[in-house]
Amino acid sequence: MAVRYDLVVIGGGAAGIFGAVNACVQNPGLKVAVVEKTSKWLGKVKVSGGGRCNVTHDCQYASQLVKHYPRGGNFLKKVFDQFDARDTVKWFEERGVPLKVEADGRMFPVTNSSQTVIDCLLKEAEEYNVELIPHFAVKELEKAPNSFLVKSETIVLEADKVLVTIGGQPKEDGFSWVKALGHTIVAPVPSLFTFNVPEGGLKELSGVSVPSAEVKVAGRGLAATGPLLITHWGFSGPAVLRLSAWGARDLAEIDYKSVFLVNWLGDKKEQALRGEIESHAAQSPKKVVFGNPMYGLPGRLWEKIVERAGVTPERRWLDLSKKDKNRLCEMLIRCTFDMDGKTTFKEEFVTCGGVSLNEVNPATMESRIVPGLYFAGEVLDIDGITGGFNFQNAWSGGWVAAKAISGKSVQ
């Protein structure tokens, strides 16, 4: 006979554990279990932010937060109206995990350790007697007349309500048992990835970065600005990750093969740059172009740009023709590279796609198709750019679902 619970949460990540704990916080009498197909609880929390856990972002208002989600921003307005980044900060601080703001707005635990966040959540789970069941891979979720049956190969659990927090899935068949209940799945494709440039002559520049560059995908109307990092395989850094998030579906359509352009000077415009180059050449005519970087660009990068402009190492500014200067300007603000493939960003796998938002009530996170079934986190067709936004979606969705499940939701 199946063990019965008030709530079974499927998925032991951020949204799942947070949802389970908060359901009990709001209704301590609930009997709750979380099932996880692996033995790792809060796996993404562990690796996020290089092991520091980028808990959220310093956004004071929901209207600011929603601008950082390529998909799902409108849906999240109603979610963030109930629980936003300020609420996240308060929730963790009340449990002994103060957060700090970094210069770019990302928020981390003061300890600089993701383990602090994990320990906090697992301690809350223990305090409220949330049962954690590892190695439970769901094969079927059956809607019985007055409950749900959550089935693995060997175990069946019975639940009054179910919260699904399985995260993003690389393929649509990862949602098979959700689809079987009648839900529409928006086909998943990767988001938050880096660009491969096999033949860009960049390997010797691996590790070089610029604080503000603009990257564009030719012919697709996609652009992003921010820090840019050259890697041994191509390009990474916030600018590329933002571009990959906003352009996830476009880039999947072209199989991650395209020409993309880099403006190494951020928002510098061509006319202003030409004037500055002419002025610099007039003021420093005898300086060698190759060994004297402009605009604070790293020396190795400047030399590669000058080389690509066709300017040989011995030439001085007074030796440059108008054509030479034009090519140098071009390489500074429209440097082209052939993108050929992508690489997952560290271990922080993110997808766009998932359960269609039309079929979920943002006020409660409850399915509009199957009463008593709830969703939170990346299992939904929601994804944010890098910077703590995907975790904020998890915390907020988990909290709103918990409020509804605990019987305290406002419809």
Side-chain angles (χ1 to χ4, degrees):
M1 187 174 178
V3 179
R4 184 152 188 164
Y5 296 87
D6 297 302
L7 168 66
V8 169
V9 179
I10 304 174
I17 299 293
F18 202 72
V21 164
N22 278 289
C24 293
V25 168
Q26 297 186 58
N27 187 344
L30 292 179
K31 184 178 181 182
V32 177
V34 183
V35 300
E36 164 60 39
K37 66 181 179 180
T38 72
S39 60
K40 294 181 180 178
W41 303 99
L42 301 161
K44 268 196 180 180
V45 172
K46 182 73 174 173
V47 301
S48 163
R52 295 195 297 146
C53 186
N54 184 184
V55 176
T56 186
H57 205 90
D58 185 30
C59 285
Q60 294 299 306
Y61 303 101
S63 57
Q64 291 177 304
L65 262 181
V66 297
K67 294 176 181 178
H68 298 89
Y69 295 85
R71 285 147 293 271
N74 287 335
F75 179 92
L76 286 173
K77 285 177 183 176
K78 285 190 177 180
V79 180
F80 291 154
D81 279 344
Q82 296 183 67
F83 192 93
D84 62 14
R86 292 170 298 178
D87 295 309
T88 298
V89 173
K90 182 181 177 184
W91 194 95
F92 280 103
E93 286 189 343
E94 285 176 346
R95 289 158 178 82
V97 184
L99 305 180
K100 61 177 179 176
V101 184
E102 300 208 334
D104 59 3
R106 293 181 301 162
M107 298 193 73
F108 295 87
V110 169
T111 59
N112 276 327
S113 172
S114 59
Q115 195 60 46
T116 308
V117 178
I118 293 170
D119 291 345
C120 169
L121 291 168
L122 294 182
K123 180 183 175 185
E124 289 288 304
E126 183 179 11
E127 185 173 325
Y128 286 97
N129 298 310
V130 174
E131 189 176 344
L132 303 181
I133 306 174
H135 303 297
F136 188 113
V138 175
K139 298 299 180 185
E140 184 184 0
L141 179 60
E142 180 185 334
K143 183 71 172 82
N146 298 305
S147 64
F148 293 88
L149 298 177
V150 186
K151 302 177 180 180
S152 73
E153 291 283 7
T154 56
I155 303 171
V156 178
L157 304 180
E158 190 173 8
D160 293 339
K161 295 178 180 178
V162 171
L163 171 59
V164 179
T165 58
I166 58 173
Q169 302 293 309
K171 295 182 180 178
E172 197 168 332
D173 59 12
F175 300 94
S176 59
W177 48 267
V178 177
K179 200 172 180 180
L181 287 170
H183 272 283
T184 304
I185 304 301
V186 179
V189 299
S191 181
L192 289 189
F193 49 83
T194 61
F195 294 174
N196 292 354
V197 183
E199 302 298 330
L202 294 173
K203 287 188 177 179
E204 64 268 34
L205 297 180
S206 180
V208 170
S209 65
V210 294
S212 181
E214 182 184 58
V215 290
K216 294 182 178 180
V217 177
R220 307 299 290 195
L222 296 169
T225 303
L228 182 66
L229 171 67
I230 300 173
T231 70
H232 66 275
W233 64 85
F235 289 95
S236 184
V240 164
L241 295 173
R242 285 174 194 149
L243 189 65
S244 75
W246 288 102
R249 294 210 172 275
D250 275 322
L251 292 168
E253 283 176 13
I254 57 177
D255 196 27
Y256 311 102
K257 289 178 169 59
S258 181
V259 172
F260 74 98
L261 301 89
V262 177
N263 181 343
W264 299 105
L265 307 179
D267 59 359
K268 180 74 70 176
K269 299 293 184 280
E270 186 171 356
Q271 188 172 353
L273 177 61
R274 289 186 186 281
E276 289 165 8
I277 289 285
E278 288 292 351
S279 176
H280 184 78
Q283 291 171 15
S284 307
K286 294 185 180 180
K287 276 193 174 180
V288 175
V289 179
F290 194 76
N292 292 281
M294 292 180 65
Y295 299 105
L297 291 173
R300 285 191 294 154
L301 175 59
W302 173 259
E303 289 171 3
K304 178 61 71 174
I305 291 169
V306 171
E307 180 187 301
R308 287 192 71 168
V311 177
T312 51
E314 75 281 356
R315 295 177 73 189
R316 301 166 298 172
W317 281 105
L318 63 83
D319 300 323
L320 299 192
S321 66
K322 186 173 182 180
K323 197 171 183 180
D324 291 328
K325 292 171 189 171
N326 286 344
R327 279 201 303 265
L328 181 57
C329 286
E330 189 76 8
M331 290 302 106
L332 284 166
I333 64 171
R334 274 188 298 274
C335 203
T336 61
F337 297 92
D338 291 325
M339 176 186 179
D340 186 8
K342 60 174 178 54
T343 300
T344 301
F345 178 59
K346 298 182 179 177
E347 297 176 66
E348 298 178 41
F349 180 76
V350 175
T351 61
C352 71
V355 175
S356 172
L357 299 180
N358 295 329
E359 300 170 356
V360 179
N361 180 355
T364 60
M365 307 305 287
E366 186 174 16
S367 166
R368 297 186 190 274
I369 293 172
V370 185
L373 180 64
Y374 298 78
F375 298 95
E378 288 177 46
V379 65
L380 295 164
D381 185 22
I382 297 173
D383 60 291
I385 63 172
T386 184
F389 301 103
N390 286 300
F391 274 138
Q392 187 56 56
N393 169 39
W395 312 132
S396 295
W399 190 91
V400 171
K403 184 179 177 184
I405 289 162
S406 69
K408 299 186 179 182
S409 178
V410 178
Q411 298 290 332

